[in-house]
Amino acid sequence: MRFLFVHGTGVRRERHDALFALVRERLGERFPGAEVDSCFWGERFGAGLSAGGRSVPGTPEGADGDEEAAEWGLLLADPLCELRVLAEAGWAGEDREDDPFAMPGLRPAGEGVLELLHRLAGAPGADGADGPGELRNLLDGTGLAAGFRPALEAAAGSAEAARAGARATAEPQARELATALARAVTAGALAGAGADADCTAAERDRLVELLTTRLGGGARVPGARAAAVLGRLALRVTTQPVLNAWRGSLTAGATPALGDILRYQARGAGLRAYLRERITARPGPTVLIGHSLGGIALVDLLALAAADGGPVPGVELLVTVGSQAPYLYELGALTALAPGSRLPYGFPRWLNVYDRQDVLSYLAAPVFPGDPRVTDHEISSRQPFPASHSAYWKQQSLYERIERAVTEAGTV
């Protein structure tokens, strides 16, 4: 009996050798007389950047980072982040007890801004954005109408707004608070709309301007405290130079893993031919074990061969581990099988192993209902993704289930 291990996406020589050594050791413990071989395809059929990554846009030399886009990136992730800065940091010299010009009993200017916000959010006597006018038209035209009132209510009811309002004692601070609240509401509406939003930067800025005016503010205050803090944070986290560096490293880093999948989908025939050559190089019976993309390629190969009337000789059992083949079949993206078609006569027994924590593993039996050749088996590595996608190989339960499947297939 012979085992042939086919690795998954993104694997290159060093990783393959370490992984296969583990698989060979564990299989050898349960099948002492079996031949355990590997089909390393990563360097020959895997993806690479043929032009050295020149397709990745960069920043022209000397160009400034897009701080505005970076700030809005932070706001979309957390619409209240600017308010949180004001609530926690406040303003320099805000303590009215230290202000010789403070009027006794005078309420903070920020409280007036909060009153206007609550009125917009639906307090008696407010029309919010329900009436005709530019604000209403803007919300309707950008797809933000449905999320506008929830965003208003979220900002108005937040502890951050209340705290910042109490700390905004002077008019310049109140104007900054009005702008921060307007940006929070706008960001909340944008985040709520998600992909349904159809809003340009100019429309976004006009919405902020209209809201700021309704809250008693004006233009964004130069040198505003929250804006400065948020701007510095955005510069450190998401400005264009950083994004370009991150994009370049991400593209290069993702090339083996994602690139192998894309390359296989476009030019998988070469890999399938290579697999067939390796499978038939030794007499059977052969158990094929395919991880991730390796499992996809094996399913394609075996199904195509069987459909053509010539099953791959010697293959008695297919084991896919953490494979996306069932999902691609449902999508209509599996090369060998159209959605709804059955596995052809001559396709071997198929054990499909998955882990619920592995988001790249899928069930095979439900998409081939009634086919006795297809069995799913769940393994729990108790690892989060992406570690769970590679954690199968140290699980004794995997090899126990393979041993049982081999016995059921009659190959021992």
Side-chain angles (χ1 to χ4, degrees), residues 221-241:
V221 183
R225 186 175 178 88
V229 173
L230 190 67
R232 287 196 298 270
L233 179 60
L235 280 169
R236 294 185 64 179
V237 177
T238 56
T239 54
Q240 193 63 44

Side-chain angles (χ1 to χ4, degrees), residues 5-386:
F5 173 72
V6 182
H7 67 79
T9 183
V11 174
R12 297 301 182 258
R13 173 57 71 180
E14 184 177 356
R15 171 62 179 155
H16 164 269
D17 291 349
L19 180 59
F20 178 58
L22 174 62
V23 173
R24 180 170 52 193
E25 176 187 349
R26 296 295 175 89
L27 287 174
E29 292 172 354
R30 293 183 177 274
F31 305 95
E35 177 185 354
V36 182
D37 202 357
S38 170
C39 181
F40 174 57
W41 56 265
E43 290 178 358
R44 181 173 174 183
F45 297 99
L49 295 172
S50 61
R54 295 191 184 99
S55 60
V56 181
T59 301
E61 187 174 353
D64 293 329
D66 191 349
E67 182 179 340
E68 180 187 39
E71 289 181 9
W72 277 99
L74 296 180
L75 283 164
L76 288 175
D78 179 7
L80 301 179
C81 65
E82 198 167 15
L83 290 172
R84 193 168 293 114
V85 172
L86 295 176
E88 297 300 326
W91 288 267
E94 70 181 60
D95 191 345
R96 297 174 61 197
E97 293 182 0
D98 295 334
D99 183 359
F101 301 102
M103 296 290 292
L106 186 65
R107 71 173 185 169
E111 290 187 7
V113 177
L114 294 181
E115 281 187 8
L116 293 172
L117 177 66
H118 282 283
R119 289 176 60 192
L120 277 176
D127 60 2
D130 296 330
E134 185 181 359
L135 178 57
R136 178 78 266 168
N137 294 335
L138 189 58
L139 292 171
D140 289 338
T142 56
L144 302 183
F148 177 68
R149 186 160 298 282
L152 266 176
E153 293 170 351
S158 68
E160 290 85 350
R163 176 65 174 151
R167 302 186 76 161
T169 58
E171 285 303 320
Q173 298 165 358
R175 290 198 298 272
E176 180 180 355
L177 175 62
T179 302
L181 286 167
R183 283 157 60 89
V185 172
T186 302
L190 283 165
D196 293 331
D198 185 17
C199 185
T200 66
E203 290 171 326
R204 177 201 67 201
D205 293 345
R206 181 55 179 161
L207 180 56
V208 171
E209 185 179 348
L210 290 173
L211 288 173
T212 300
T213 300
R214 289 203 177 195
L215 296 176
R220 191 171 181 180
V221 183
R225 186 175 178 88
V229 173
L230 190 67
R232 287 196 298 270
L233 179 60
L235 280 169
R236 294 185 64 179
V237 177
T238 56
T239 54
Q240 193 63 44
V242 176
L243 283 175
N244 286 333
W246 177 80
R247 183 182 189 184
S249 62
L250 175 65
T251 302
T255 295
L258 179 60
D260 285 359
I261 297 171
L262 297 176
R263 182 182 177 92
Y264 174 77
Q265 291 296 96
R267 297 182 174 83
L271 175 56
R272 291 191 294 272
Y274 180 61
L275 290 175
R276 184 182 182 106
E277 176 186 325
R278 291 299 312 278
I279 294 168
T280 57
R282 297 273 196 279
T286 301
V287 175
L288 301 176
I289 303 176
H291 181 220
S292 192
L293 179 57
I296 294 173
L298 288 173
V299 170
D300 274 337
L301 168 63
L302 296 173
L304 287 169
D308 289 342
V312 179
V315 177
E316 297 292 332
L317 174 67
L318 168 65
V319 181
T320 56
V321 180
S323 178
Q324 305 86 52
Y327 180 63
L328 294 183
Y329 167 75
E330 280 201 275
L331 287 177
L334 194 63
T335 302
L337 296 166
S341 61
R342 297 182 178 182
L343 291 172
Y345 178 80
F347 193 92
R349 294 171 65 105
W350 178 7
L351 170 64
N352 179 64
V353 181
Y354 70 99
D355 184 337
R356 292 179 191 272
Q357 300 302 316
D358 176 13
V359 300
L360 294 179
S361 66
Y362 294 87
L363 296 171
V367 296
F368 296 105
D371 193 325
R373 293 170 294 180
V374 184
T375 304
D376 291 314
H377 178 71
E378 182 176 4
I379 281 179
S380 177
S381 67
R382 297 167 52 219
Q383 286 273 61
F385 183 82

